[in-house]
Amino acid sequence: MDQENMTLLQRLGNEYKRSEESLNGLSGSKFHEIRRKAMDIFSQTGFPTTRHEEWKYTNIFSILHNGFKFSGISSISKETLQTLVIPNLDCTKLVLVNGVYSAALSDILPDDVTVQSIRELFRIKSDRVENTYAEIADSVKNPFVALNTALAEDGLYIHLKKNCKVEKPIHIIAISDAQEDSVVSVPRLFIDVEKNAELTIVYTSHTIGNNSSWKNSVLEVIVQENASLTIINCQTDTSQASVIETIQSTIAEDAHYSLTTVSLGCNFIRNDANVILNGKNSEAHLYGLILGDGKRLIDNHTIVDHAKPHCESSEFYKYILDDKSTGIFNGKVFVREDAQKTNAYQSNKTILLSDTATINTKPQLEIFADDVKCSHGATSGQLDEEQMFYLQARGIGKERARALLLHAFAVDILKKIHIEPIVEWLDKDIAQRLHDEGN
Amino acid sequence: MLRIEELYASVEEKEILKGINLQVKAGEVHAIMGPNGSGKSTLASVLAGRTDYTVTSGKVLFENKELLEMSPEERAQAGIFLAFQYPVEIPGVSTANFLKTAMNEIRKSKGEETLDAMDFLKLMKQKAALLELDTSFLQRSLNEGFSGGEKKKNEIFQMAMLEPKLAVLDETDSGLDIDALKIVANGVNSLRNNNNAFIVVTHYQRLLDYIIPDFVHVLYKGKIVRSGGKELALELEERGYDWIKEEIAETV
Ligand SMILES: Nc1ncnc2c1ncn2[C@@H]1O[C@H](COP(=O)(O)OP(=O)(O)OP(=O)(O)O)[C@@H](O)[C@H]1O
Ligand SMILES: [Mg+2]
């Protein structure tokens, strides 16, 4: 069969085989076994259709096509990278091009943080990786985790030693290079924050070039006792890009976790942000800011699983949808029998700027404990007319007034990001997208 | 400056303004009084360009331009200012940022240079002092959590910043304590000059002790039924509206 006549599924299978052959020296390893299992699972399930409850509004087949290349290696110039960095952000950069780590483009790490090749760790039979890799992000539960696990030939293990507080954020720049061809990539990260340690990760997703890209990222996250991890996740790819991203986290006793996702670009986004609060007194906060226009689709699925007592979680997602864009928010909260004194809060607010934009919101609270505080709320509507008139009556034109109010709506989420250069960078991008270039 | 001729306006099919005639010249202060529901705020809203109200007939000229054909922002840019009876809260927009945007939009519309941050800050401090406002409110969200009186003061502060040609104050005095009333009145008086004019909507003669009007009008059932000098306000204070209502009933 030639390339043209193969289905995407067959090509993915071939890609897996090709990649298995390239992993020589690892054939008997645990890595090989994990990948094979994942491929088996994916082969059985295939891509989810809209009949699948979790994919009801999100038609993955709209982005799948046969033109994708699995071009692993690609090199981009330092000048190109410079156009993607966040101005004035003091950080340690780690660069992934088409999912592959680029040492040449990345910065030297501070002493307390180690970043290692996952494949290499399997080769030397590291216990940590053998015992935990692909355990947290479960292939059975999500076909795209399975696909990522099967196809990722390597990944980055980011490890912060206990008691270390790293001031400078680590900025992971995940670039899809679609200059020559449409490209698929499977970035894979494993973030391991030990006891009492503190770290901020900035994960930004970019596509360069005019061809389409499909990035299927998986981030596995462990936050150990009394540690703190903040992830700031920015999706600013071109409108030819599709992003499917799973961030699966497990949070131990007294630990703190926050994930802020800002989706400004891409034509298709599906995020699965799942957290298990797995030790008492732990905390998780998920925030989201979404701008949609054109025919873009942005789907956020979250699961917050309260497994232990005295934990706190909050979710706060805001969407601004224009034209024919579609937003989906599906937030599941589980409170297990043991998880007494749980405090869980969830909110989804949407401004619809056109009659043809839609939001599908589904909160799902499943509570098995009796002494808990859980609340959720969802609102959607147009811009407030009284507020519009007030601004106009002060000489502010309609467009500008609209932008001011939308920015005011968005600012709650931006305020959760405590790093000024990131807020400024996002603010500028948002202003441009709202056609509010400032005065 | 402003000429209103036979103005009729309705909301949701209900006629509220029924033939208003009013002329305001530069340098003048006009007070409009009248019972609740008589149409005072409606008149103010129609002048500012609120779209909920439909003007069914009549004409409004502002500096010889057809006001009713202008958008709310064009009216503000031309120099009309409405101090709202009920100012809205806008969470997430600071008073300072809002005013800076407003000022610069107005300046741009006239082809003037925009103010730089330093000059703007200086001006804000100066005007805030005029109204004895603590500058900390400038960084707070616009009107959010402000007390009733603070909101009213903020309206006058905005007026002081924007220096309009014609300001319409809709019950700016309601909800103000006695000291605040004096401060607001002083603010208005210090802005008065021969080139601007004020329309002051109020229920209370007390405000007019401080802001002395050139004319007092009584609006009743959508019409100006009586006009006079500042003595008219004193008379209303003493006698209420019944005698006017009776006189009208007799003439019908
Ligand atoms: N949006 C609206 N929908 C329906 N009726 C309205 C609306 N706005 C005003 N009205 C009615 O129009 C009439 C005039 O209202 P307006 O607010 O102009 O009175 P006012 O003279 O300012 O009264 P007050 O002294 O109480 O402020 C009232 O009967 C009011 O109920
Ligand atoms: Mg009124």
Side-chain angles (χ1 to χ4, degrees), chain A residues 34-262:
Chain A
I34 291 169
R35 285 170 44 110
R36 186 179 45 74
K37 252 194 212 155
M39 194 63 216
D40 287 347
I41 291 167
F42 184 74
S43 306
Q44 277 162 31
T45 57
F47 291 109
T49 67
T50 51
R51 282 194 302 275
H52 193 300
E53 188 56 30
E54 306 303 330
W55 294 86
K56 199 167 159 187
Y57 302 104
T58 303
N59 184 3
I60 183 73
F61 296 93
S62 68
I63 64 156
L64 299 177
H65 62 78
N66 219 355
F68 283 119
K69 280 249 167 72
F70 300 91
S71 61
I73 315 296
S74 151
S75 66
I76 66 159
S77 67
K78 285 214 159 108
E79 288 69 43
T80 305
L81 177 65
Q82 209 47 42
T83 64
L84 306 176
V85 302
I86 300 173
N88 307 317
L89 178 66
D90 187 17
C91 63
T92 307
K93 290 190 287 297
L94 296 179
V95 180
L96 301 173
V97 182
N98 293 340
V100 180
Y101 173 68
S102 164
L105 293 173
S106 300
D107 294 335
I108 312 274
L109 288 154
D111 289 342
D112 300 326
V113 188
T114 53
V115 173
Q116 286 162 285
S117 147
I118 287 173
R119 179 156 87 179
E120 179 59 17
L121 288 169
F122 272 108
R123 201 186 59 77
I124 62 169
K125 299 195 165 25
S126 140
D127 280 347
R128 185 68 173 164
V129 164
E130 288 199 338
N131 294 333
T132 44
Y133 179 78
E135 284 294 316
I136 298 152
D138 189 348
S139 293
V140 175
K141 291 195 178 133
N142 183 334
F144 291 95
V145 170
L147 192 61
N148 176 290
T149 306
L151 295 180
E153 288 179 14
D154 201 350
L156 292 182
Y157 174 67
I158 300 171
H159 178 220
L160 184 61
K161 288 195 231 66
K162 69 176 177 201
N163 302 324
C164 293
K165 295 186 171 36
V166 178
E167 291 273 319
K168 260 198 210 183
I170 294 188
H171 182 189
I172 300 163
I173 303 176
I175 306 165
S176 292
D177 181 359
Q179 295 178 104
E180 302 285 318
D181 289 298
S182 289
V183 62
V184 186
S185 64
V186 285
R188 178 79 180 213
L189 300 166
F190 184 173
I191 299 160
D192 195 1
V193 183
E194 282 199 32
K195 278 184 192 171
N196 308 321
E198 252 178 66
L199 180 66
T200 297
I201 298 235
V202 184
Y203 185 74
T204 59
S205 172
H206 312 264
T207 295
I208 54 172
N210 296 323
N211 294 299
S212 61
S213 72
W214 169 25
K215 201 177 302 164
N216 179 17
S217 306
V218 173
L219 281 73
E220 270 181 294
V221 175
I222 300 179
V223 186
Q224 300 185 40
E225 286 81 357
N226 199 40
S228 168
L229 175 68
T230 301
I231 301 180
I232 299 157
N233 181 27
C234 307
Q235 303 172 318
T236 61
D237 295 69
T238 61
S239 53
Q240 281 78 256
S242 303
V243 163
I244 297 178
E245 195 175 281
T246 307
I247 304 184
Q248 183 80 45
S249 313
T250 174
I251 317 299
E253 204 172 306
D254 298 317
H256 181 278
Y257 171 67
S258 105
L259 166 64
T260 305
T261 302
V262 181

Side-chain angles (χ1 to χ4, degrees), chain A residues 27 123 141 174 237 273 338 356 358 364 390:
Chain A
S27 50
R123 201 186 59 77
K141 291 195 178 133
D237 295 69
D338 273 354
T356 43
T358 50
Q364 254 176 294
Y390 191 89

Side-chain angles (χ1 to χ4, degrees), chain B residues 41 85 170-171:
Chain B
S41 293
Q85 185 174 2
D170 191 359
E171 294 196 31

Side-chain angles (χ1 to χ4, degrees), chain B residues 11-12 14 16 35-42 53 85 171 203:
Chain B
V11 62
E12 289 166 10
K14 183 177 153 198
I16 295 167
N36 294 129
S38 57
K40 302 180 298 296
S41 293
T42 304
Y53 300 91
Q85 185 174 2
E171 294 196 31
H203 285 296

Side-chain angles (χ1 to χ4, degrees), chain B residues 87-99:
Chain B
V88 295
E89 301 192 359
I90 309 189
V93 177
S94 73
T95 304
N97 185 32
F98 155 69
L99 260 180

Side-chain angles (χ1 to χ4, degrees), chain B residues 6 8 34 57 68 81 94 105 107 109 113-114 150 161 174-175 197 209 211 215 244:
Chain B
E6 285 301 308
Y8 285 78
S57 73
L68 300 176
F81 180 94
S94 73
E105 290 283 294
R107 285 173 160 257
S109 76
E113 289 274 308
T114 57
E150 285 167 345
M161 288 293 290
S174 338
D209 282 341
I211 304 175
F215 301 94
I244 292 183

